[in-house]
Amino acid sequence: MLAARASAARAASRIARNFATVVDSAGVKVAAADNGEATSAVTFIVKAGSRFESKPGVAHALKNYAFKSTEKRSALGTVREAELYGGVLSSSLSREHLAVTAEFLRGDEAFFVDVLSSYLTSTKFTRYELSELVGPTCEAETTAAFSNPATRALELAHAIAFRNGLGNSIFATPGHHLSASDVEAYAHSVFGSGNVAVVGTGIDPAALEKLLEKSLGKFAAAVSPSSTPSKYFGGETRLDAHGAAETVFIGFGTTGAPSAELAVLAAHLDTAPSVKWSKSTSPIAASIPEGASVQVVHLPYSDASLFGLLVQGQTTAAVKEAGKAAVTALKEAGNLKGEDLQKAIAKAKFSAASALDGRDGVISTIGSKILSGSSASLSETISSLEKVDTAAFEKATASLLKAKPTFVAVGDITSLPYADELGL
């Protein structure tokens, strides 16, 4: 009886957490849900990440042109009006998508949807804003990101693993000249109906659709940006750096649609404990020396995935010891079965479900699925995880480890281990 009730409760929960029905409005795909949140948020997601950029750094510059001068408002006017309404505007960039978001009080959606729409339809791309605002912001973000050895290692890992396309950095780097015309040309190639999705939370779907029809009524069509299908290569690189944690990334790549088996593998190796201040039961956790950490990295994209372990420590000796433990656990993961496999599946299901609890998770999870044409339903994600069995998991793990590893060392490269010293 209790098992039947639990099963029914889980089924009801899945139905309740299906985010929204996707509809077409003004030529863009729209998904919205109103679950009684105190505030509202609307995000425009564009297939305009660094993977598709025409010149290095142009996607980063386009992200930072958000909320600058348009035909309706100056940059200062946008800031002042947003503050008068008490809202927050932000933009973000990934390898496949550019997102601009407005968070605001209920009832103010007309203004903020118009602000977001203006960015796509009437940004002026002035030269003075590029030199005085956009360029310095790009430089500051790049400097801050590359001062973090974990971020630097992951950027290098993508470049080695995929070379072009997904290997393109999301940060503009010095030495690559960009003009306002370059950014404007890229914007015109990606800003258009068929290449944009809109996600809303705390807002009535019908009201959002009506506002979009008004603000994007003359939105031109855009050809989906071209990118060659991802191919995985792998390799090894080392970057001398000091003043931060010693860092090693041990990774493998796959091509094709995101895999439920890799999500389960990530959950199995995850060293974060389920109870605060307790020790995780991850096969890696017990072997991590004091002062070191191992973080699972699982980055699924539309046609490829990068999976790995980010090892950091205060000393190179600690990184080497933790790295050996991580590689051993990864190699032995294919033997997972029975209760241990079911535990990993349960953790993966929780991670997938909890991602939709926050707005950032909604944007990254729902938006990318809408643009790719795949289902945005949580129940289908949960179902795919539940279908993972011992044979499928073993096959996926073995296939992953057959690929050439991607190995990155950032720090004291005279002492940090090489890939073969960790058992790769």
Side-chain angles (χ1 to χ4, degrees), residues 108-124:
D108 295 337
E109 54 269 14
F111 168 75
F112 286 98
V113 169
D114 186 63
V115 168
L116 297 180
S117 300
S118 296
Y119 167 58
L120 268 64
T121 59
S122 64
T123 296
K124 291 184 176 180

Side-chain angles (χ1 to χ4, degrees), residues 115-369:
V115 168
L116 297 180
S117 300
S118 296
Y119 167 58
L120 268 64
T121 59
S122 64
T123 296
K124 291 184 176 180
F125 297 104
T126 60
R127 286 181 291 175
Y128 82 88
E129 286 180 319
L130 178 63
S131 61
E132 296 178 11
L133 298 172
V134 175
T137 301
C138 288
E139 183 179 354
E141 288 177 341
T142 299
T143 301
F146 285 178
S147 67
N148 183 330
T151 302
R152 197 68 186 271
L154 289 176
E155 286 295 303
L156 289 170
H158 278 85
I160 295 170
F162 303 110
R163 298 184 182 176
N164 299 316
L166 289 176
N168 295 345
S169 176
I170 60 176
F171 299 101
T173 53
H176 294 286
H177 174 72
L178 281 176
S179 67
S181 297
D182 293 330
V183 185
E184 184 175 12
Y186 182 60
H188 288 165
S189 70
V190 295
F191 287 171
S193 61
N195 205 40
V196 177
V198 178
V199 178
T201 59
I203 185 171
D204 178 62
L208 178 58
E209 292 168 32
K210 186 176 181 180
L211 289 172
L212 290 172
E213 288 173 359
K214 179 181 179 181
S215 60
L216 297 177
K218 298 181 180 179
F219 203 29
V223 177
S224 183
S226 60
S227 175
T228 56
S230 294
K231 183 178 179 182
Y232 176 72
F233 296 93
E236 182 172 353
T237 191
R238 304 168 73 79
L239 178 67
D240 193 35
H242 302 280
E246 305 293 340
T247 303
V248 161
F249 176 78
I250 307 156
F252 296 86
T254 66
T255 55
S259 163
E261 288 78 14
L262 287 187
V264 173
L265 177 60
H268 168 61
L269 296 175
D270 185 16
T271 59
S274 295
V275 180
K276 192 174 182 179
W277 306 120
S278 66
K279 195 76 171 180
S280 169
T281 58
S282 164
I284 306 174
S287 303
I288 300 176
E290 190 72 25
S293 65
V294 178
Q295 179 184 348
V296 178
V297 176
H298 177 215
L299 299 171
Y301 298 103
S302 60
D303 65 347
S305 296
L306 182 64
F307 184 95
L309 299 162
L310 185 70
V311 185
Q312 293 188 286
Q314 294 304 311
T315 65
T316 56
V319 169
K320 185 174 183 178
E321 184 180 345
K324 286 182 176 180
V327 170
T328 299
L330 182 57
K331 288 183 174 181
E332 295 176 350
N335 300 323
L336 197 66
K337 56 185 176 181
E339 185 177 281
D340 289 334
L341 178 59
Q342 293 306 312
K343 179 178 69 174
I345 291 173
K347 288 183 67 177
K349 287 161 60 179
F350 177 80
S351 295
S354 61
L356 297 183
D357 284 340
R359 280 174 174 157
D360 289 342
V362 167
I363 294 169
S364 61
T365 303
I366 301 295
S368 60
K369 288 185 176 181

Side-chain angles (χ1 to χ4, degrees), residues 366-385:
I366 301 295
S368 60
K369 288 185 176 181
I370 294 173
L371 277 176
S372 65
S374 58
S375 173
S377 167
L378 175 63
S379 62
E380 290 193 18
T381 302
I382 297 297
S383 178
S384 67
L385 291 169

Side-chain angles (χ1 to χ4, degrees), residues 15-81:
I15 294 171
R17 295 186 61 146
N18 284 344
F19 183 70
T21 300
V22 180
V23 299
D24 286 325
S25 179
V28 302
K29 296 178 179 179
V30 183
D34 188 353
N35 296 316
E37 294 92 342
T39 59
S40 302
V42 174
T43 298
F44 283 34
I45 303 169
V46 189
K47 194 176 180 182
S50 60
R51 171 179 187 167
F52 308 105
E53 62 188 7
S54 52
K55 293 184 69 174
V58 70
H60 191 190
L62 179 59
K63 183 208 73 136
N64 286 322
Y65 257 113
F67 317 122
K68 301 301 185 288
S69 296
T70 66
E71 292 180 1
K72 288 189 174 182
R73 302 173 185 87
S74 66
L76 181 59
T78 298
V79 171
R80 286 181 170 175
E81 287 188 79

